[in-house]
Amino acid sequence: MTDAGPLSADEATFLEVVRSGDPARFAVLTERHRRELQVHCYRMLANYEDARDMTQETFLRAWHKRESFKGNAALRTWLYRIATNACLDFLDKRTPIPSELPGSETAHLQPYPDRMLPEDPQESAVARETIELAFIVAVQHLPPRQRAVFILRDVLGWPASKVAEALEITVAAVTSGLQRARATIREQLPDRRLDWQLPARHELSNDERGVVRSYIDAHQRNDLDGLIALLREDLRFVMLPDSGIVTTTAKDAVDGWVAGGLFRPGHDDWRGIATTVNRMPAAALYLRTPDAPEYRLFAVAALHIVGGKIAELIGFDATGKPWLGLPTTLPVDEAWVQGTAEEA
């Protein structure tokens, strides 16, 4: 991510485009960075829809500020600087949630579809490691500018001088901000390393895929005992946008869902699609009420699986909105076979 060496062919070409004012060529050269910029915005905002909006805002700002590009920095660095400041401006306007309230760090959290990760192998390796929900939530404990310092320094590997220039602060402020950020991240991820540029973790295993399919199957058959059997006894669970992760027993978790109306008549006709979000197995759950002609997207459940059991379940309310490129509805089909959105 850092700048080095003489002006590259990409930067030379981009300078020509800037001078020509050709919007079509400008779009072609900047568009190739969309996925990595969108992941960067997601790290800053923890919200997939906001990240998409801020990525588009980055391209608009880049076009309007195109004459500020002099070739002194790599095109990628220039775009990341614009994206970072677009996110900071957005966070300044976002309604703040008091940090002392339970779950304030997950108030805006949305999952991120794996299919939208960068295609470049090097960028993808970093993105895959720093897209995990535990990391994203930990970063949200940082104040916005401290968050930007941490991401630019420890995730993207920028030198302190470049971070200071991008954020218009001193190098000393970058250094002190990074120290405070690392201390907070250590508290939030005590068992995790801070070198986020090492190789990403493994692909989903066959066991993980099997568990998520069994989870979907238990819903489709309204098999509450089977669902309980899939959950670890010390299950960590949250259903966003409700605040706060709770630790509960498998039976108490399922009993709570039933008490809330799920799996009862009128809320017991399920279909599901196996997918992945934030490098985690996930289930997109669809519910059909008696008066509905089709199944409608109800929730996305991200599953942390340990030893063949679901140890943590983070549910996201997905009712009434197109999400993550998933179909909003599924047809009624007696010959239904579990689908998959992994290649969607």
Side-chain angles (χ1 to χ4, degrees):
M1 275 301 311
T2 56
D3 304 332
L7 197 66
S8 72
D10 277 352
E11 279 68 51
T13 301
F14 190 71
L15 271 176
E16 292 178 8
V17 171
V18 166
R19 290 164 182 160
S20 70
D22 185 339
R25 292 183 66 199
F26 183 94
V28 169
L29 290 175
T30 54
E31 181 65 26
R32 69 182 65 173
H33 300 286
R34 178 179 292 275
R35 289 196 177 193
E36 61 187 274
L37 289 170
Q38 188 164 290
V39 169
H40 176 61
C41 292
Y42 179 72
R43 294 189 195 104
M44 287 287 298
L45 306 175
N47 185 286
Y48 176 62
E49 293 170 347
D50 291 343
R52 290 197 304 175
D53 290 345
M54 286 305 100
T55 303
Q56 194 59 35
E57 172 68 14
T58 296
F59 290 140
L60 290 174
R61 290 189 182 194
W63 170 252
H64 291 302
K65 297 180 178 181
R66 61 190 182 278
E67 293 183 359
S68 69
F69 182 81
K70 305 298 183 182
N72 299 324
L75 171 58
R76 178 181 290 174
T77 302
W78 185 69
L79 290 172
Y80 267 92
R81 175 176 178 169
I82 295 173
T84 301
N85 284 286
C87 289
L88 289 173
D89 290 344
F90 178 85
L91 288 170
D92 284 343
K93 297 175 183 177
R94 178 189 269 177
T95 302
I97 307 296
S99 59
E100 65 271 13
L101 291 181
S104 59
E105 70 279 356
T106 60
H108 304 283
L109 183 66
Q110 287 184 351
Y112 197 94
D114 287 2
R115 63 185 180 81
M116 294 305 297
L117 291 172
E119 296 175 337
D120 178 82
Q122 182 177 353
E123 289 298 324
S124 182
V126 176
R128 287 168 188 265
E129 183 65 30
T130 58
I131 205 73
E132 294 178 9
L133 284 171
F135 178 86
I136 295 297
V137 171
V139 170
Q140 303 314 301
H141 284 82
L142 303 174
R145 288 199 172 271
Q146 202 177 106
R147 190 183 310 173
V149 167
F150 176 75
I151 292 171
L152 293 176
R153 284 286 284 122
D154 274 10
V155 176
L156 300 181
W158 285 24
S161 59
K162 288 292 183 184
V163 176
E165 181 182 352
L167 300 180
E168 297 182 346
I169 57 178
T170 65
V171 172
V174 170
T175 301
S176 63
L178 182 61
Q179 289 174 345
R180 291 194 298 272
R182 284 172 173 170
T184 300
I185 295 297
R186 285 191 185 98
E187 292 175 0
Q188 299 302 320
L189 298 173
D191 299 326
R192 299 291 300 276
R193 55 183 168 76
L194 287 178
D195 183 1
W196 303 107
Q197 299 187 71
L198 291 179
R201 71 184 182 94
H202 62 79
E203 297 294 328
L204 300 185
S205 68
N206 289 333
D207 286 344
E208 288 172 321
R209 296 176 193 277
V211 169
V212 72
R213 291 191 174 98
S214 295
Y215 178 80
I216 291 172
D217 182 62
H219 279 76
Q220 294 180 170
R221 293 188 294 107
N222 282 275
D223 180 3
L224 300 185
D225 289 338
L227 190 55
I228 290 172
L230 289 170
L231 305 177
R232 208 163 76 170
E233 275 307 294
D234 56 344
L235 173 72
R236 285 167 52 83
F237 168 72
V238 63
M239 184 67 196
L240 299 173
D242 293 342
S243 61
I245 294 178
V246 300
T247 300
T248 182
T249 67
K251 187 176 186 307
D252 284 349
V254 174
D255 286 347
W257 299 337
V258 173
L262 300 182
F263 301 104
R264 291 186 173 184
H267 290 82
D268 58 352
D269 191 358
W270 298 92
R271 292 290 182 265
I273 292 178
T275 186
T276 56
V277 297
N278 298 80
R279 302 307 302 150
M280 299 172 69
L285 298 173
Y286 293 75
L287 179 66
R288 185 170 79 94
T289 53
D291 59 341
E294 56 198 356
Y295 295 88
R296 295 173 182 167
L297 183 60
F298 178 79
V300 175
L303 310 174
H304 179 50
I305 297 169
V306 178
K309 296 272 190 174
I310 298 171
E312 182 171 290
L313 191 158
I314 302 177
F316 298 89
D317 180 7
T319 54
K321 51 191 171 185
W323 230 26
L324 309 177
L326 293 164
T328 55
T329 62
L330 295 178
V332 176
D333 184 357
E334 293 182 358
W336 170 262
V337 177
Q338 285 184 26
T340 175
E342 292 177 2
E343 302 299 329

